[in-house]
Amino acid sequence: MNPSMVGTHVRLLIISCLWSYANASSPAISSFAPCSSFTQQAVPTAASRDLRLVIGPYVARASGSSASICLQPQVDGERILGIHYRTALTDGCVSGHVPMSQSEYQYAKHLVCAELRDLRPQTSYIYAIEDSSHRLHKGGSFSTFADRAHPSSSAPGSMSKEPFKVRLAAIADCGEGGKGARLVRNALFNHSSHDHEDQPHMQVSASALLVAGDIAYEHGTLKDYTKKFFGVWAPVLRHVPLITVLGNHDAKPGLGHSSCISGAGPYFDLFAKGGSPTLEHGGDKAHDSVPGARPMDIPPAALAAIRRQEGLLYYSVDVHPQVHILAIDSNVGIRQEHFYYWLLRDLRVAKQRSQWVIAILHHPPYTDGNYHSDSYTRLGDIRRMLLPWLEWANVDLVVSGHSHGYERSMLVAGHYGSSDTLRDHMIKSKGDQHHNGSSSFYKKEVAFGGALYIVAGSGSKVDLRHGKHVGQLRHPVHMTGLSTLGGLRIDLSAGTMHIRFLGIDQKGANAVLDEVFVHKDSSVGNNAPPASDAAMAMLRVHSPDGPPLSVDSYFQDFNARKRPEVYLRS
C-alpha cells in the first residue's frame, strides 16, 4: 500500500476513535494517560458534576500550528482554569495545558478562550476542560490545518500527484435555528439523536465547517447566536473548526457601517477575535514570495488597513497543503480598495501552491431566488468588482447564501453583467450528465478556466409562498435550483472535487439531491498569468470579455455613483 494512503487510513481510524471519546457521557482522565506530562498540576480527579455551558466548547479558527477553544459558562462566577490537550496518537504523544484568557469582550462579556499554540500541522488532538476545582470535563477533538510555512513538498506551480483526501461541510443562512437547522445538521454529519438531543451520535466528520453568513437571525445578537447557532450546532462545533463570513443579519443593529469596519459586535467577539491570534498570514512579509516574481509593492496606507482588517472582514486558510479557502466579506469588504491588494497578494500565491481554491461570501453573484441578482446593486458589484479577480486565479468554487434555496451553476467565467448578457463563450462547460443524475465537469488549469457558483442559502429555511418558492430558481447561469433544506459536503482529492447537496427529500428523509464532480488534469499547474511589477500600481486584470479592469477604475466609477450608506441598504 502507498505510504501516504496508510497515513490516510490511520487518520480515519483516529477520527473514529475521537468521535467515540467525544460522545462519551463523561471523559475518563485515563484517556490522557499515555502522556506522562499531560499536566504540570496535580492529576485532576474525575468530574463529580457536569459543567454547564451557555456556549461551546467550540473550535474557533484553526491554523497549521494553533487553534482557539472558546466557551461561556452558564453559572455566573464559574471559573474555567484552562484547556488540557494532547495528540490523539499515543506514539510520540505531545500534551499541554493552556490557561483561559479572561479578556473581557465587548458584547460576549463572559466568553473565555484558550489559544493552543505550537501545534503540529495536520494532526488530530483531543482536549478537556478544567474547572476551578481542577476537575476535567468533556471537551472534544479537532485536527489542525496545513502549515503555511511549509505548505507542500510539490514544486511551485504544479499540482501534487500524492493521494490526499479532505472533507469540508458548507452551509449558509442557518440563522433561523430550530428544526430546519437540525435537519440540515443531521443530513450533513449523519447525525442521529437517541435518548437526548445533547448526546448525539456522529458518523461523519469534516476538516472544517464553512458558514457563508446569516448565522443568527434576526439581528445577530448574542442571544440569537446562543440559541439559534450554538444551540443547534454544538455537537459539531466542539470538533470541527469554523470558517465564517459576515452576513447582513450578523452585524450588531444600530452600528451599521461602523460595526463592520471597526469589528464591533457579537459576531466579531465569537468568530473573529476569539480566533484572530491564530492567523499566520498578516503583516509585511506574508504572501509576498512567489517564484519568479518580485514582491508586491503595496502602498503603506493599504498595508496598514490590511493589518487592521485581515481576520475580521477577510482572511484565508490552508486546510490542507492543496486546499486553500478564501473568506470574503461581501457587506463592505469588497468596496474597500485595500481589500483588492490583499486579494491579489493571496491569490497569486494560492494559484502557485494549491490545487483547489474555494471562496465563501454571503451575497451571491448569481441568483433567482427570493432575491434576483439583476435587481440588487450589491450583487452586480460582486460580479463586476470581485469575480474577475477570482476567475483570473482560476478559483474552483464560490459558495454563497442570502437567497434561501439551492442553486448550482455550470462552469462559467467572464459573465459580469445582467443575466441577459450571458453568452456561449462564457460557459466553459455544461458538464456530462450521468444516468444517476450526477454531473461531471473537466476543467483546464488556465486563467478564466471556469468556476462553479453555488447558492446554499437553505441552511435553516426556504422561502415559500403557497407551497412554492418565492423565486423562479431559473437563472441562466444555473443548471439546478431546489427549494429544499440542505447543505454541502465537499470532498477534495488529487484531481477531483466531489460536491453533494445533502438535503431533505419529499418523504422527509436525508438524501443526495444534487451531485457534481469537477476533474482536473493533475499533470499541469495553474497557468494564471503572473502579476507583473508594472501591474502593481493599477492592479490590472484582463477580463476575457472587455477592457482591462483595475482597482482605480473600479473605485472611480463606484464612488461616483454610490454612497456608503446607500450601498449598505442595497
Side-chain angles (χ1 to χ4, degrees):
M1 182 180 290
N2 188 307
S4 61
M5 292 302 293
V6 172
T8 298
H9 287 293
V10 170
R11 284 191 293 273
L12 290 175
L13 179 61
I14 292 170
I15 289 173
S16 176
C17 295
L18 293 179
W19 286 120
S20 299
Y21 158 76
N23 289 300
S25 58
S26 63
I29 301 306
S30 60
S31 64
F32 297 97
C35 287
S36 59
S37 59
F38 176 69
T39 177
Q40 300 301 318
Q41 305 176 18
V43 177
T45 59
S48 59
R49 60 177 176 80
D50 290 334
L51 181 66
R52 291 177 292 172
L53 302 176
V54 177
I55 294 175
Y58 65 99
V59 185
R61 291 181 191 170
S63 71
S65 61
S66 60
S68 291
I69 308 298
C70 298
L71 57 91
Q72 179 176 324
Q74 184 177 30
V75 179
D76 290 341
E78 176 82 62
R79 189 181 174 201
I80 306 299
L81 295 183
I83 296 293
H84 291 255
Y85 67 94
R86 72 166 175 83
T87 51
L89 285 173
T90 56
D91 183 19
C93 180
V94 174
S95 63
H97 168 263
V98 176
M100 283 292 186
S101 168
Q102 299 300 321
S103 300
E104 287 291 324
Y105 295 102
Q106 183 178 358
Y107 295 92
K109 293 185 177 180
H110 302 290
L111 184 74
V112 291
C113 296
E115 185 187 350
L116 283 53
R117 290 183 177 269
D118 299 321
L119 304 180
R120 294 174 176 176
Q122 295 181 266
T123 301
S124 297
Y125 287 84
I126 58 177
Y127 66 91
I129 305 164
E130 182 184 5
D131 66 15
S132 57
S133 300
H134 302 291
R135 298 185 179 94
L136 290 189
H137 299 263
K138 181 174 70 172
S141 59
F142 66 94
S143 293
T144 50
F145 296 158
D147 184 357
R148 281 207 160 173
H150 305 90
S152 176
S153 59
S154 59
S158 66
M159 289 188 186
S160 170
K161 297 182 182 180
E162 295 298 320
F164 70 89
K165 292 183 179 180
V166 172
R167 170 166 288 172
L168 303 171
I171 56 174
D173 294 78
C174 55
E176 191 78 7
K179 181 179 179 180
R182 283 187 169 85
L183 288 171
V184 174
R185 177 200 64 190
N186 297 350
L188 277 179
F189 291 92
N190 285 14
H191 172 294
S192 61
S193 297
H194 298 292
D195 297 327
H196 302 286
E197 185 69 32
D198 62 348
Q199 294 183 6
H201 177 63
M202 297 260 184
Q203 299 175 10
V204 177
S205 185
S207 296
L209 175 62
L210 317 183
V211 188
D214 277 6
I215 302 171
Y217 297 142
E218 274 293 314
H219 304 294
T221 64
L222 183 61
K223 182 178 179 180
D224 291 335
Y225 287 112
T226 301
K227 178 180 179 180
K228 298 178 181 179
F229 183 64
F230 291 104
V232 173
W233 290 90
V236 174
L237 301 180
R238 65 171 63 238
H239 308 288
V240 182
L242 280 165
I243 299 176
T244 66
V245 293
L246 189 72
N248 56 292
H249 283 279
D250 292 316
K252 178 71 175 178
L255 295 180
H257 187 73
S258 63
S259 71
C260 298
I261 300 301
S262 65
Y267 170 87
F268 297 100
D269 284 358
L270 294 168
F271 305 116
K273 294 177 181 178
S276 58
T278 68
L279 294 170
E280 301 173 303
H281 46 286
D284 299 317
K285 297 180 180 180
H287 287 228
D288 285 350
S289 177
V290 177
R294 294 174 60 185
M296 286 180 59
D297 182 16
I298 301 177
L303 187 58
I306 290 171
R307 289 172 179 162
R308 290 193 305 271
Q309 295 195 7
E310 185 179 26
L312 295 177
L313 296 185
Y314 46 81
Y315 59 98
S316 64
V317 291
D318 292 330
V319 297
H320 182 273
Q322 294 292 331
V323 181
H324 186 73
I325 310 294
L326 286 157
I328 299 170
D329 171 53
S330 57
N331 291 278
V332 297
I334 64 163
R335 68 171 302 274
Q336 299 179 25
E337 187 167 353
H338 60 78
F339 161 74
Y340 292 93
Y341 285 97
W342 173 87
L343 182 66
L344 181 55
R345 184 182 68 172
D346 188 273
L347 286 175
R348 71 180 196 148
V349 172
K351 70 184 180 62
Q352 294 285 333
R353 294 180 175 178
S354 303
Q355 182 174 158
W356 299 105
V357 181
I358 298 172
I360 63 169
L361 65 158
H362 180 61
H363 297 88
Y366 311 110
T367 182
D368 183 24
N370 49 304
Y371 298 92
H372 195 287
S373 49
D374 287 354
S375 303
Y376 287 82
T377 303
R378 186 198 303 265
L379 309 190
D381 289 336
I382 291 172
R383 292 193 301 276
R384 185 177 61 89
M385 300 175 68
L386 178 63
L387 296 198
W389 301 81
L390 300 182
E391 293 176 355
W392 162 78
N394 208 21
V395 166
D396 302 291
L397 173 64
V398 178
V399 177
S400 60
H402 199 52
S403 273
H404 303 146
Y406 173 77
E407 301 169 275
R408 191 257 301 163
S409 76
M410 302 173 280
L411 204 64
V412 296
H415 179 41
Y416 310 135
S418 57
S419 57
D420 59 0
T421 64
L422 180 66
R423 300 294 181 263
D424 288 344
H425 70 273
M426 301 173 186
I427 302 172
K428 304 306 176 182
S429 174
K430 293 184 179 180
D432 296 334
Q433 309 303 311
H434 304 298
H435 68 278
N436 64 354
S438 64
S439 301
S440 291
F441 296 89
Y442 296 87
K443 180 177 177 177
K444 296 180 179 179
E445 274 293 6
V446 295
F448 302 103
L452 282 182
Y453 292 90
I454 293 181
V455 181
S458 56
S460 61
K461 69 174 183 177
V462 292
D463 287 336
L464 302 176
R465 184 181 298 131
H466 304 301
K468 296 182 179 180
H469 199 280
V470 296
Q472 297 297 314
L473 301 176
R474 294 179 182 175
H475 194 287
V477 159
H478 292 144
M479 296 188 68
T480 300
L482 299 170
S483 56
T484 184
L485 294 168
L488 298 176
R489 186 182 293 169
I490 307 166
D491 289 299
L492 302 117
S493 59
T496 300
M497 175 170 60
H498 180 197
I499 305 170
R500 282 168 285 185
F501 176 64
L502 300 175
I504 314 303
D505 64 17
Q506 294 180 346
K507 297 180 180 180
N510 296 346
V512 178
L513 302 180
D514 188 36
E515 187 170 21
V516 181
F517 296 85
V518 179
H519 302 286
K520 287 185 179 181
D521 182 355
S522 60
S523 65
V524 297
N526 189 332
N527 296 317
S532 66
D533 292 332
M536 291 305 97
M538 295 292 289
L539 295 181
R540 290 188 183 277
V541 176
H542 290 271
S543 165
D545 190 47
L549 302 170
S550 71
V551 164
D552 287 353
S553 63
Y554 285 165
F555 279 86
Q556 286 175 5
D557 174 62
F558 184 85
N559 292 329
R561 66 181 176 82
K562 205 96 175 109
R563 299 191 310 275
E565 61 270 22
V566 177
Y567 179 83
L568 285 167
R569 292 199 298 267
S570 62

